């Protein structure tokens, strides 16, 4: 283990280890903590499954309350549980609102307003900084090419935003590669020896450029979303905030984090908008929602179903769980299904 992270605690559980680490975050400009579960040693590297928690949570809630460790152990899954916001910083005129903005309510977005943009860059933190840190620090334990992700409430619309950005980024890279190929064909039309030599040199340069483009594409995908999602298009959700731009619960935080001058920019973080307009490869989406959820009207589960219904690229596996609310007793009841859902794809 390098000096980049410090081990705070570890406990044996289901023949693996629950560990808590701290590190200095360059993107959030503060000290951050995160939990991992390291499963028992196996003949193959562990696949990685990230869990993004909901409002008011820290990195501790899921790992302690969900019951996921038992099933992660059985399926050779390495769990990663980040925090939900920056910590230990000073916020001018902090608001006493549990749903945000502020501590425990980072909404996994990159803030753009003066008050929050310095520290509240949770999207960059998760998709770039912490992702690369985990891959580097645990490279002897995990398969760095097998990551997947799920979450609860606030921790879910992030998934859809990231998925959509992956697809758009891939299309842009394909267009750039097509332009490069057209340039190559034009260069090859020259007939004299000198030009042939130049073409050979150009082709070599273009080959190098293509290799660089591939590498850049790989890292850009890392920056926008976990690499596995690009290949498998797999994630799941517990009671997601599905339509935050049309929800009293999240509107105040969006205004504070993103401002009100360009509300069109809010849509990049709205799952219903993104799912309705998604035009990439088909993918499955498992979503559980409790029928007795005290926040059901705010979560806009019906809007999520409609958005997916209107898009043939999305296979929504929507399960309305009778009598269950929004808390961790509900999550722990169905956590086995979600772990096995991800494991089926990750480990095959």
């Amino acid at each position: 283990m390098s000096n980049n992270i410090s081990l705070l605690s570890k406990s044996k559980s289901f023949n693996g280890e629950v560990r808590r680490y701290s590190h200095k975050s360059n993107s959030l400009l503060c000290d951050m903590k995160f939990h991992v579960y390291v499963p028992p040693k196996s003949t193959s590297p562990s696949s990685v499954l990230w869990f993004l928690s909901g409002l008011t949570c820290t990195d501790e809630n899921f790992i302690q309350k969900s019951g996921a460790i038992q099933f992660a152990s059985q399926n050779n899954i390495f769990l990663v549980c980040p925090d939900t916001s920056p910590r230990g910083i000073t916020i001018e005129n902090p608001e006493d609102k549990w749903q945000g903005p502020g501590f425990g309510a980072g909404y996994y977005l990159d803030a753009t307003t003066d008050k929050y943009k310095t520290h509240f860059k949770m999207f960059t933190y998760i998709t770039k900084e912490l992702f690369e840190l985990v891959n580097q620090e645990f490279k002897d334990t995990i398969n760095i090419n097998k990551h997947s992700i799920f979450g609860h409430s606030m921790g879910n619309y992030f998934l859809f935003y990231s998925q959509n950005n992956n697809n758009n980024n891939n299309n842009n890279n394909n267009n750039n590669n097509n332009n490069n190929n057209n340039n190559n064909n034009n260069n090859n039309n020259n007939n004299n020896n000198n030009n042939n030599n130049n073409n050979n040199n150009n082709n070599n340069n273009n080959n190098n450029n293509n290799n660089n483009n591939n590498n850049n594409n790989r890292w850009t995908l890392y920056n926008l979303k976990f690499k596995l999602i690009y290949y498998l298009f797999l994630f799941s959700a517990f009671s997601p905030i599905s339509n935050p731009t049309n929800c009293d619960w999240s509107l105040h935080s969006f205004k504070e984090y993103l401002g009100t001058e360009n509300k069109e920019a809010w849509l990049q973080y709205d799952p219903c908008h993104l799912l309705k307009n998604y035009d990439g490869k088909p993918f499955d989406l498992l979503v559980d929602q409790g029928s007795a959820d005290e926040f059901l009207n705010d979560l806009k589960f019906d809007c999520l179903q409609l958005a997916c219904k209107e898009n043939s690229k999305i296979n929504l596996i929507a399960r309305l769980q009778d009598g269950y609310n929004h808390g961790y007793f509900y999550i722990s009841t169905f956590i086995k299904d979600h772990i096995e859902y991800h494991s089926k794809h990750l480990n095959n």
Side-chain angles (χ1 to χ4, degrees), residues 152 238-239 288-296 299 319-335 337:
H152 175 225
F238 288 100
S239 310
D288 275 322
Q289 173 63 60
S291 68
D293 193 319
E294 56 270 41
F295 308 112
L296 186 58
L299 298 173
R319 310 192 308 182
L320 187 63
Q321 305 294 1
D322 185 45
Y324 286 90
N325 62 20
H326 196 71
Y328 270 91
F329 291 119
Y330 144 68
I331 291 176
S332 64
T333 303
F334 302 104
I335 191 65
D337 295 348

Side-chain angles (χ1 to χ4, degrees), residues 54-282:
L55 291 163
T56 76
C57 290
T58 69
D59 61 302
E60 297 179 283
N61 296 71
F62 177 79
I63 204 76
Q64 294 178 355
K65 298 179 179 180
S66 68
I69 293 173
Q70 175 182 358
F71 307 110
S73 174
Q74 294 171 359
N75 290 279
N76 193 26
I77 295 292
F78 184 101
L79 293 173
V80 182
C81 304
D83 204 345
T84 56
S85 76
R87 302 287 177 176
I89 61 173
T90 299
I91 300 176
E92 184 180 355
N93 299 320
E95 301 188 40
D96 186 20
K97 296 175 71 68
W98 71 268
Q99 68 265 43
F103 299 120
Y107 277 87
Y108 302 106
L109 52 73
D110 281 355
T112 57
T113 57
D114 290 340
K115 182 176 179 179
Y116 290 103
K117 66 182 181 182
T118 300
H119 296 286
F120 281 76
K121 297 179 179 179
M122 288 300 294
F123 184 76
T124 296
Y125 172 68
I126 297 291
T127 60
K128 186 178 190 300
E129 183 176 6
L130 189 58
F131 178 71
E132 293 177 2
L133 182 69
V134 167
N135 273 346
Q136 178 61 37
E137 297 297 331
F138 301 99
K139 60 186 177 183
D140 296 331
T141 302
I142 65 173
N143 186 333
I144 65 171
N145 294 313
K146 288 193 173 184
H147 289 253
S148 193
I149 190 168
F150 65 150
H152 175 225
S153 191
M154 177 187 71
N156 282 304
Y157 75 83
F158 166 91
L159 314 182
F160 308 119
Y161 166 62
S162 304
Q163 175 63 69
N164 195 69
N165 271 281
N166 265 350
N167 179 61
N168 291 339
N169 185 70
N170 188 48
N171 288 339
N172 289 336
N173 283 326
N174 285 339
N175 290 335
N176 289 336
N177 286 337
N178 288 336
N179 290 334
N180 287 336
N181 288 335
N182 290 335
N183 289 335
N184 290 343
N185 290 334
N186 290 334
N187 287 335
N188 287 334
N189 288 331
N190 297 321
N191 293 321
N192 59 54
N193 289 335
N194 289 332
N195 284 336
N196 282 338
N197 290 333
N198 288 334
N199 285 337
N200 289 333
N201 290 332
N202 285 335
N203 287 335
N204 288 335
N205 289 333
N206 285 327
N207 286 335
N208 290 333
N209 287 334
N210 285 335
N211 289 333
N212 288 334
N213 285 338
N214 289 335
N215 288 331
N216 289 336
N217 179 57
R218 178 172 180 263
W219 283 107
T220 304
L221 287 170
Y222 276 175
N223 293 347
L224 289 173
K225 186 64 180 70
F226 306 106
K227 185 180 179 185
L228 184 72
I229 304 300
Y230 170 66
Y231 291 111
L232 295 186
F233 298 94
L234 174 74
F235 44 79
S236 67
F238 288 100
S239 310
I241 301 176
S242 300
N243 194 193
T245 62
N246 187 34
C247 167
D248 291 339
W249 197 9
S250 50
L251 278 179
H252 181 65
S253 290
F254 270 53
K255 291 177 182 177
E256 290 296 309
Y257 285 138
L258 302 173
T260 57
E261 294 182 358
N262 181 17
K263 289 190 176 181
E264 287 293 315
W266 293 15
L267 295 177
Q268 66 182 309
Y269 295 104
D270 191 303
C272 284
H273 172 78
L274 297 176
L275 290 169
K276 184 183 294 186
N277 293 281
Y278 176 78
D279 191 30
K281 294 180 180 179

